[in-house]
Amino acid sequence: MPPAKKRARSYDPAKTRAAVFAQFGHVRQAVRGLSPEQLALPTRLGEWTVRHLVAHIGMAVTAVHRALALPEPPKQDAVLLDWPFATAVNSAAIDEFTRKVAADHQDLDAHLADIDESLHALLAEHPGTRLLQTNVGALPLDDYLVTRTVELVVHTDDLNAAVPGLDVPYDRQALAAATRLLADALAVKAPGGSTEVRVPPYAVVQCVEGPRHTRGTPPNVVETDPLTWIRLAAGRVAWKAALEEAKVSASGERADIGDLLPLMA
Protein backbone atom coordinates (compact mmCIF):
# COMPACT_ATOMS: atom_id res chain seq x y z
CA MET A 1 0.00 0.00 0.00
CA PRO A 2 1.59 3.30 -1.07
CA PRO A 3 1.52 6.06 1.52
CA ALA A 4 -1.39 8.43 1.42
CA LYS A 5 -0.68 11.50 -0.72
CA LYS A 6 -2.56 13.90 1.47
CA ARG A 7 -3.84 14.34 4.97
CA ALA A 8 -7.32 13.12 5.80
CA ARG A 9 -10.16 15.53 6.42
CA SER A 10 -9.71 17.67 9.50
CA TYR A 11 -10.99 16.53 12.89
CA ASP A 12 -11.88 18.81 15.78
CA PRO A 13 -9.26 17.96 18.45
CA ALA A 14 -11.58 18.75 21.35
CA LYS A 15 -14.31 16.53 19.94
CA THR A 16 -11.82 13.73 19.28
CA ARG A 17 -10.53 13.81 22.85
CA ALA A 18 -14.07 13.86 24.19
CA ALA A 19 -14.97 10.93 21.94
CA VAL A 20 -12.03 8.83 23.16
CA PHE A 21 -12.94 9.42 26.79
CA ALA A 22 -16.66 8.84 26.17
CA GLN A 23 -16.18 5.53 24.35
CA PHE A 24 -13.61 4.34 26.86
CA GLY A 25 -16.04 5.32 29.61
CA HIS A 26 -18.78 3.19 28.04
CA VAL A 27 -16.40 0.24 28.00
CA ARG A 28 -15.38 0.82 31.62
CA GLN A 29 -19.00 0.89 32.72
CA ALA A 30 -19.74 -2.38 30.92
CA VAL A 31 -16.63 -4.16 32.18
CA ARG A 32 -17.46 -3.20 35.76
CA GLY A 33 -20.51 -5.46 35.63
CA LEU A 34 -18.98 -8.50 33.94
CA SER A 35 -18.92 -11.76 35.89
CA PRO A 36 -15.96 -14.17 35.90
CA GLU A 37 -18.01 -16.43 33.62
CA GLN A 38 -18.57 -13.60 31.13
CA LEU A 39 -14.88 -12.65 31.19
CA ALA A 40 -14.08 -16.24 30.26
CA LEU A 41 -16.36 -16.25 27.20
CA PRO A 42 -14.75 -16.70 23.77
CA THR A 43 -14.55 -13.84 21.29
CA ARG A 44 -14.36 -13.67 17.50
CA LEU A 45 -10.66 -12.79 17.86
CA GLY A 46 -9.02 -16.18 17.68
CA GLU A 47 -8.20 -17.65 21.07
CA TRP A 48 -8.83 -14.46 23.02
CA THR A 49 -11.43 -14.51 25.77
CA VAL A 50 -13.39 -11.47 26.85
CA ARG A 51 -10.71 -10.86 29.49
CA HIS A 52 -8.07 -10.70 26.76
CA LEU A 53 -10.26 -8.39 24.69
CA VAL A 54 -10.77 -5.99 27.60
CA ALA A 55 -7.04 -6.00 28.29
CA HIS A 56 -6.43 -5.20 24.63
CA ILE A 57 -8.88 -2.28 24.73
CA GLY A 58 -6.84 -0.88 27.58
CA MET A 59 -3.69 -1.43 25.52
CA ALA A 60 -5.18 0.47 22.60
CA VAL A 61 -5.55 3.49 24.86
CA THR A 62 -2.19 3.15 26.59
CA ALA A 63 -0.54 3.17 23.18
CA VAL A 64 -0.76 6.93 23.73
CA HIS A 65 1.08 6.58 27.05
CA ARG A 66 3.81 4.45 25.51
CA ALA A 67 4.30 6.83 22.59
CA LEU A 68 4.50 9.88 24.84
CA ALA A 69 7.15 8.13 26.95
CA LEU A 70 9.45 8.02 23.91
CA PRO A 71 11.55 10.94 22.65
CA GLU A 72 9.67 13.20 20.26
CA PRO A 73 10.55 12.45 16.62
CA PRO A 74 12.35 15.29 14.81
CA LYS A 75 9.70 15.60 12.11
CA GLN A 76 6.41 14.15 10.92
CA ASP A 77 6.92 11.41 8.33
CA ALA A 78 3.44 9.87 8.13
CA VAL A 79 -0.15 11.03 7.72
CA LEU A 80 -3.33 9.89 9.37
CA LEU A 81 -4.51 7.96 6.31
CA ASP A 82 -1.43 5.74 6.43
CA TRP A 83 -2.57 4.24 9.73
CA PRO A 84 -5.38 1.83 8.69
CA PHE A 85 -3.02 -0.04 6.39
CA ALA A 86 -0.41 -0.71 9.10
CA THR A 87 -2.66 -2.24 11.74
CA ALA A 88 -1.58 -5.84 11.10
CA VAL A 89 2.09 -5.15 11.86
CA ASN A 90 3.51 -7.03 14.86
CA SER A 91 0.35 -9.07 15.48
CA ALA A 92 2.31 -11.76 17.32
CA ALA A 93 3.85 -9.19 19.66
CA ILE A 94 0.43 -7.64 20.27
CA ASP A 95 -1.01 -11.04 21.17
CA GLU A 96 1.82 -11.71 23.62
CA PHE A 97 1.50 -8.27 25.21
CA THR A 98 -2.28 -8.66 25.49
CA ARG A 99 -1.99 -11.98 27.29
CA LYS A 100 0.55 -10.54 29.72
CA VAL A 101 -1.65 -7.54 30.53
CA ALA A 102 -4.67 -9.81 31.06
CA ALA A 103 -2.68 -12.03 33.43
CA ASP A 104 -1.08 -9.14 35.33
CA HIS A 105 -4.32 -7.21 35.94
CA GLN A 106 -6.92 -9.45 37.50
CA ASP A 107 -8.97 -6.41 38.56
CA LEU A 108 -9.76 -5.03 35.12
CA ASP A 109 -12.07 -2.34 36.47
CA ALA A 110 -9.25 -0.85 38.54
CA HIS A 111 -6.85 -1.19 35.62
CA LEU A 112 -9.15 0.71 33.26
CA ALA A 113 -9.77 3.37 35.90
CA ASP A 114 -6.02 3.94 36.20
CA ILE A 115 -5.74 4.24 32.42
CA ASP A 116 -8.54 6.79 32.28
CA GLU A 117 -7.00 8.93 35.02
CA SER A 118 -3.50 8.83 33.56
CA LEU A 119 -4.73 9.62 30.04
CA HIS A 120 -6.52 12.72 31.32
CA ALA A 121 -3.28 13.84 32.94
CA LEU A 122 -1.17 13.19 29.84
CA LEU A 123 -3.50 14.99 27.46
CA ALA A 124 -3.62 17.98 29.81
CA GLU A 125 0.18 18.08 29.75
CA HIS A 126 0.90 17.64 26.03
CA PRO A 127 -0.30 19.78 23.10
CA GLY A 128 -1.99 18.13 20.16
CA THR A 129 0.91 19.08 17.92
CA ARG A 130 3.34 16.92 19.91
CA LEU A 131 4.75 14.28 17.56
CA LEU A 132 4.51 10.61 18.50
CA GLN A 133 6.47 7.67 17.13
CA THR A 134 3.71 5.25 16.10
CA ASN A 135 3.56 1.94 14.26
CA VAL A 136 3.14 3.84 10.99
CA GLY A 137 5.62 6.65 11.60
CA ALA A 138 5.68 10.03 13.32
CA LEU A 139 2.21 11.53 13.74
CA PRO A 140 0.85 14.46 15.77
CA LEU A 141 -0.92 13.49 18.98
CA ASP A 142 -4.23 14.91 17.72
CA ASP A 143 -4.09 12.67 14.64
CA TYR A 144 -3.15 9.60 16.64
CA LEU A 145 -6.14 10.14 18.92
CA VAL A 146 -8.40 9.82 15.86
CA THR A 147 -6.99 6.31 15.36
CA ARG A 148 -7.92 5.51 18.96
CA THR A 149 -11.60 6.10 18.11
CA VAL A 150 -11.32 3.35 15.48
CA GLU A 151 -9.70 0.95 17.95
CA LEU A 152 -12.31 1.70 20.60
CA VAL A 153 -15.32 1.41 18.30
CA VAL A 154 -14.10 -1.78 16.61
CA HIS A 155 -13.32 -3.48 19.92
CA THR A 156 -16.52 -2.25 21.56
CA ASP A 157 -18.30 -4.06 18.74
CA ASP A 158 -16.17 -7.16 19.42
CA LEU A 159 -17.17 -6.96 23.08
CA ASN A 160 -20.87 -6.67 22.24
CA ALA A 161 -20.58 -9.65 19.88
CA ALA A 162 -18.95 -11.76 22.60
CA VAL A 163 -21.27 -11.05 25.54
CA PRO A 164 -24.99 -11.56 24.82
CA GLY A 165 -27.11 -8.64 25.95
CA LEU A 166 -24.17 -6.41 26.92
CA ASP A 167 -25.05 -3.64 24.44
CA VAL A 168 -22.20 -1.24 25.17
CA PRO A 169 -23.26 2.05 23.55
CA TYR A 170 -21.30 3.83 20.84
CA ASP A 171 -20.43 7.46 21.35
CA ARG A 172 -21.68 9.43 18.36
CA GLN A 173 -18.46 11.39 17.87
CA ALA A 174 -16.32 8.25 18.17
CA LEU A 175 -18.49 6.43 15.65
CA ALA A 176 -18.37 9.40 13.28
CA ALA A 177 -14.58 9.73 13.43
CA ALA A 178 -14.04 5.99 12.94
CA THR A 179 -16.46 5.89 10.00
CA ARG A 180 -14.86 8.87 8.27
CA LEU A 181 -11.29 7.69 8.68
CA LEU A 182 -12.07 4.25 7.27
CA ALA A 183 -14.14 5.69 4.41
CA ASP A 184 -11.27 8.00 3.48
CA ALA A 185 -8.90 5.03 3.66
CA LEU A 186 -10.98 3.26 1.02
CA ALA A 187 -10.62 6.29 -1.26
CA VAL A 188 -6.84 6.10 -0.76
CA LYS A 189 -6.73 2.37 -1.49
CA ALA A 190 -8.87 2.68 -4.64
CA PRO A 191 -8.51 6.24 -5.94
CA GLY A 192 -11.00 7.33 -8.56
CA GLY A 193 -14.43 8.80 -9.02
CA SER A 194 -16.60 6.10 -10.57
CA THR A 195 -18.17 4.78 -7.39
CA GLU A 196 -19.81 6.64 -4.54
CA VAL A 197 -19.72 5.02 -1.11
CA ARG A 198 -22.27 6.44 1.31
CA VAL A 199 -22.25 5.81 5.05
CA PRO A 200 -24.97 8.14 6.33
CA PRO A 201 -24.96 10.29 8.28
CA TYR A 202 -21.18 10.51 8.56
CA ALA A 203 -19.36 9.97 5.28
CA VAL A 204 -19.55 9.98 1.49
CA VAL A 205 -16.47 9.22 -0.61
CA GLN A 206 -15.69 8.76 -4.28
CA CYS A 207 -13.43 5.86 -5.21
CA VAL A 208 -12.52 3.24 -7.88
CA GLU A 209 -10.99 4.07 -11.25
CA GLY A 210 -13.36 4.72 -14.12
CA PRO A 211 -15.60 7.44 -15.51
CA ARG A 212 -16.00 10.22 -12.93
CA HIS A 213 -19.53 11.09 -11.87
CA THR A 214 -20.28 14.83 -11.80
CA ARG A 215 -24.04 15.36 -11.50
CA GLY A 216 -27.33 13.56 -10.92
CA THR A 217 -27.61 10.07 -9.52
CA PRO A 218 -24.25 8.25 -9.54
CA PRO A 219 -24.23 5.11 -11.72
CA ASN A 220 -22.33 3.11 -9.06
CA VAL A 221 -23.43 3.46 -5.45
CA VAL A 222 -22.63 1.55 -2.27
CA GLU A 223 -24.58 2.41 0.86
CA THR A 224 -24.51 1.01 4.37
CA ASP A 225 -24.78 2.04 8.01
CA PRO A 226 -21.77 3.10 10.11
CA LEU A 227 -21.39 -0.10 12.15
CA THR A 228 -21.67 -2.33 9.11
CA TRP A 229 -19.10 -0.20 7.32
CA ILE A 230 -16.69 -0.43 10.25
CA ARG A 231 -17.21 -4.20 10.42
CA LEU A 232 -16.48 -4.51 6.70
CA ALA A 233 -13.39 -2.32 6.93
CA ALA A 234 -12.08 -4.17 9.98
CA GLY A 235 -12.75 -7.64 8.61
CA ARG A 236 -15.49 -8.51 11.09
CA VAL A 237 -18.01 -9.25 8.35
CA ALA A 238 -17.47 -10.32 4.75
CA TRP A 239 -18.76 -8.27 1.84
CA LYS A 240 -20.81 -11.16 0.43
CA ALA A 241 -22.44 -11.86 3.79
CA ALA A 242 -23.32 -8.19 4.26
CA LEU A 243 -24.96 -8.14 0.82
CA GLU A 244 -26.89 -11.34 1.49
CA GLU A 245 -28.13 -10.00 4.82
CA ALA A 246 -29.15 -6.69 3.20
CA LYS A 247 -26.76 -4.82 5.48
CA VAL A 248 -25.28 -3.09 2.44
CA SER A 249 -26.71 -2.13 -0.95
CA ALA A 250 -24.60 -1.99 -4.10
CA SER A 251 -25.86 -0.85 -7.50
CA GLY A 252 -23.86 -0.49 -10.71
CA GLU A 253 -21.17 -2.55 -12.42
CA ARG A 254 -18.38 -0.89 -10.40
CA ALA A 255 -20.16 -1.12 -7.05
CA ASP A 256 -18.68 -4.48 -6.02
CA ILE A 257 -15.92 -3.35 -3.65
CA GLY A 258 -15.53 -6.72 -1.95
CA ASP A 259 -12.01 -7.18 -3.32
CA LEU A 260 -10.94 -3.96 -1.57
CA LEU A 261 -12.03 -5.14 1.87
CA PRO A 262 -11.07 -5.41 4.62
CA LEU A 263 -8.95 -2.28 4.91
CA MET A 264 -7.55 -3.33 8.28
CA ALA A 265 -6.28 -6.85 8.93
Side-chain angles (χ1 to χ4, degrees), residues 51-72:
R51 171 174 286 280
H52 294 123
L53 173 56
V54 172
H56 184 72
I57 293 172
M59 281 174 52
V61 175
T62 58
V64 177
H65 300 58
R66 294 188 294 277
L68 284 171
L70 297 173
E72 184 172 6

Side-chain angles (χ1 to χ4, degrees), residues 39-264:
L39 287 170
L41 288 171
T43 69
R44 60 190 178 190
L45 302 176
E47 297 180 355
W48 282 4
T49 64
V50 170
R51 171 174 286 280
H52 294 123
L53 173 56
V54 172
H56 184 72
I57 293 172
M59 281 174 52
V61 175
T62 58
V64 177
H65 300 58
R66 294 188 294 277
L68 284 171
L70 297 173
E72 184 172 6
K75 64 178 181 179
Q76 181 175 346
D77 60 9
V79 294
L80 180 55
L81 280 171
D82 294 328
W83 177 82
F85 308 111
T87 52
V89 176
N90 298 324
S91 58
I94 290 172
D95 179 70
E96 182 180 358
F97 192 11
T98 295
R99 292 178 184 279
K100 185 178 187 304
V101 171
D104 290 347
H105 297 279
Q106 290 301 305
D107 188 341
L108 289 172
D109 181 32
H111 177 53
L112 298 187
D114 288 344
I115 292 172
D116 186 76
E117 181 179 359
S118 57
L119 183 63
H120 272 92
L122 283 172
L123 295 190
E125 178 183 351
H126 295 281
T129 54
R130 203 279 198 187
L131 292 178
L132 307 182
Q133 189 59 53
T134 75
N135 61 318
V136 74
L139 286 173
L141 173 58
D142 279 344
D143 279 1
Y144 194 60
L145 288 172
V146 178
T147 74
R148 299 307 87 189
T149 68
V150 178
E151 293 276 5
L152 284 166
V153 169
V154 168
H155 292 312
T156 294
D157 193 50
D158 291 332
L159 192 56
N160 282 333
V163 184
L166 190 61
D167 295 330
V168 184
Y170 300 90
D171 175 74
R172 180 178 175 84
Q173 289 295 337
L175 190 60
T179 300
R180 289 165 181 156
L181 178 54
L182 294 175
D184 289 344
L186 175 66
V188 167
K189 187 173 184 178
S194 71
T195 302
E196 185 167 281
V197 177
R198 303 170 177 172
V199 192
Y202 301 130
V204 178
V205 296
Q206 305 286 331
C207 60
V208 183
E209 289 185 350
R212 179 173 292 275
H213 167 72
T214 56
R215 65 176 65 184
T217 302
N220 305 288
V221 177
V222 174
E223 185 165 340
T224 189
D225 64 276
L227 271 179
T228 299
W229 169 241
I230 288 168
R231 290 166 185 157
L232 286 165
R236 274 27 179 203
V237 65
W239 171 256
K240 183 177 180 180
L243 283 173
E244 290 175 348
E245 295 171 10
K247 295 293 187 180
V248 60
S249 63
S251 59
E253 62 180 15
R254 297 177 185 268
D256 185 349
I257 60 171
D259 289 344
L260 299 172
L261 300 169
L263 301 173
M264 304 165 64

